[in-house]
Amino acid sequence: MHTPWLCLSLSTLMLLPIQARAQETLSDAASRAKDAWSAHDAEGLVGHTSTLILQIPGADASSALERPQAIELLRRYFRPAEERGLDITAIREVEPGKGFVELTRRYVVAGTTELRRETLFLGYRLVGLEWRLAELRSAP
């Protein structure tokens, strides 16, 4: 016994286009990182990374951090800062599956007017179809 709505549903599904997920580019990952940093979105910056080498003031860079710990340290790092500008200054795939992004940050510490600059170095690894953050280092 055929159920008419079931046949209609199956035939309708067969007509829907199948969208294959395209591989993300390193430029896409750089833009996503810039947007997340500008919004002080630590979770968005870390993404699906399970561990992260983090070298920022207040973090011990001697070993990789688990995702929740890295997110918390980034939140603390963001807290006193007011962003004034963030530019992507370099994007390079240094070898297949490994990439590098450089950001130049301008910010002030809350309650002050002195403009500070910082260079952020983000190391990425290609996992499946997605570039994932593996390392984040800052330099004045």
Side-chain angles (χ1 to χ4, degrees):
M1 176 176 192
H2 284 292
T3 307
W5 63 269
L6 180 60
C7 292
L8 179 61
S9 296
L10 291 175
S11 63
T12 303
L13 284 176
M14 292 173 62
L15 296 175
L16 293 175
I18 296 174
Q19 294 182 351
R21 189 170 147 210
Q23 179 175 319
E24 177 185 44
T25 67
L26 189 53
S27 291
D28 295 335
S31 293
R32 192 177 66 237
K34 178 183 176 185
D35 293 345
W37 191 284
S38 296
H40 287 186
D41 176 8
E43 286 186 39
L45 181 63
V46 172
H48 295 106
T49 299
S50 58
T51 59
L52 178 65
I53 296 172
L54 192 58
Q55 185 178 345
I56 57 174
D60 179 8
S62 62
S63 62
L65 303 171
E66 295 294 320
R67 184 176 189 277
Q69 187 178 11
I71 289 170
E72 182 56 31
L73 286 171
L74 283 165
R75 283 183 180 147
R76 289 181 192 174
Y77 191 63
F78 289 149
R79 200 167 290 136
E82 295 175 7
E83 303 300 324
R84 294 294 187 253
L86 186 64
D87 300 308
I88 298 171
T89 49
I91 300 172
R92 288 187 199 98
E93 189 168 350
V94 292
E95 62 183 68
K98 288 186 180 181
F100 162 82
V101 172
E102 180 181 313
L103 302 173
T104 302
R105 175 186 188 211
R106 292 171 308 286
Y107 69 100
V108 296
V109 174
T112 71
T113 58
E114 179 188 346
L115 186 66
R116 298 179 183 203
R117 294 182 186 279
E118 177 180 40
T119 302
L120 303 166
F121 303 99
L122 290 73
Y124 284 89
R125 294 199 188 280
L126 186 60
V127 179
L129 300 174
E130 178 183 26
W131 285 96
R132 292 193 184 173
L133 186 63
E135 186 172 353
L136 190 154
R137 300 182 188 274
S138 72

